[in-house]
Amino acid sequence: MNATETQTYTVIGLTLDVDRTELLIAAVIAGTFADQVELLATSEEDFTRWAEEFNAPDPDTAADLAYAFCRDFGYAEEDTAGEYLQRVLAEAGIKATRGAHLGSSCAWIAVPTPDGGEVLLTGQDRHEAEVDYPLTDHVGWLACAFGKDGVEATVLYDSHTPDLAADTAAAVAAVRATVATG
């Protein structure tokens, strides 16, 4: 499968009933099985068994989409798309920092790569070179990898997708693949 191809994965797990934003994943299975999964009654009052299907390029991205789906943007209203992206990166174990050009309005989130370069992520369209905009204003992410010389950029992820949860999960998957391989 190339990077743009997706398939359907069924994610099975438990949601925490206290706020229904916490998901504990038990399995990610390739295929459409959510309707066939028999969700057994749980003996614990605080959890609900759960199964949902997601289209993704790989099981890790399907899991990221499931986590984002269950979180349902349960963050405070003052959070920005950049803060959301930085949280999802951190939850994926990816260290990220914020950056900007001094004296300009350009802003991004930077992730160091093993080869001494970095991946820069920023918004798209009306939020080009910006990350601190309202969650509801999201129109897409752009992720570019720069070598340690900082001159030549490779586009890793380029979307125009207003679905913040799905778009962020896909952008984080692209970053994770680059950070893992350098």
Side-chain angles (χ1 to χ4, degrees):
M1 233 185 322
N2 68 36
T4 59
E5 290 183 46
T6 63
Q7 72 177 67
T8 302
Y9 291 92
T10 300
V11 179
I12 302 168
L14 296 170
T15 57
L16 183 62
D17 286 344
V18 174
D19 60 4
R20 294 200 185 272
T21 61
E22 186 76 26
L23 174 64
L24 306 171
I25 293 179
V28 178
I29 305 166
T32 55
F33 300 107
D35 293 338
Q36 299 170 17
V37 173
E38 186 174 337
L39 300 173
L40 303 174
T42 180
S43 61
E44 299 166 8
E45 295 176 9
D46 296 334
F47 293 95
T48 297
R49 295 180 190 268
W50 183 88
E52 189 70 44
E53 295 168 1
F54 296 92
N55 292 325
D58 56 65
D60 286 336
T61 303
D64 289 342
L65 290 170
Y67 286 128
F69 178 82
C70 284
R71 268 194 306 270
D72 194 31
F73 303 106
Y75 299 126
E77 286 184 29
E78 66 272 6
D79 280 357
T80 66
E83 291 169 333
Y84 177 76
L85 172 61
Q86 206 161 4
R87 279 190 205 149
V88 174
L89 286 163
E91 290 168 0
I94 300 170
K95 182 182 175 188
T97 57
R98 291 172 168 272
H101 285 296
L102 293 176
S104 78
S105 61
C106 294
W108 60 81
I109 293 178
V111 176
T113 58
D115 62 1
E118 64 184 349
V119 174
L120 299 181
L121 296 110
T122 190
Q124 291 277 37
D125 295 338
R126 67 182 179 270
H127 296 296
E128 185 177 340
E130 180 183 358
V131 292
D132 290 319
Y133 53 85
L135 296 169
T136 55
D137 283 356
H138 183 72
V139 291
W141 291 121
L142 174 65
C144 295
F146 292 85
K148 60 183 171 183
D149 61 3
V151 177
E152 193 166 327
T154 302
V155 175
L156 301 176
Y157 186 77
D158 183 1
S159 74
H160 296 276
T161 305
D163 182 340
L164 179 63
D167 192 35
T168 301
V172 169
V175 172
R176 178 189 295 137
T178 299
V179 170
T181 62

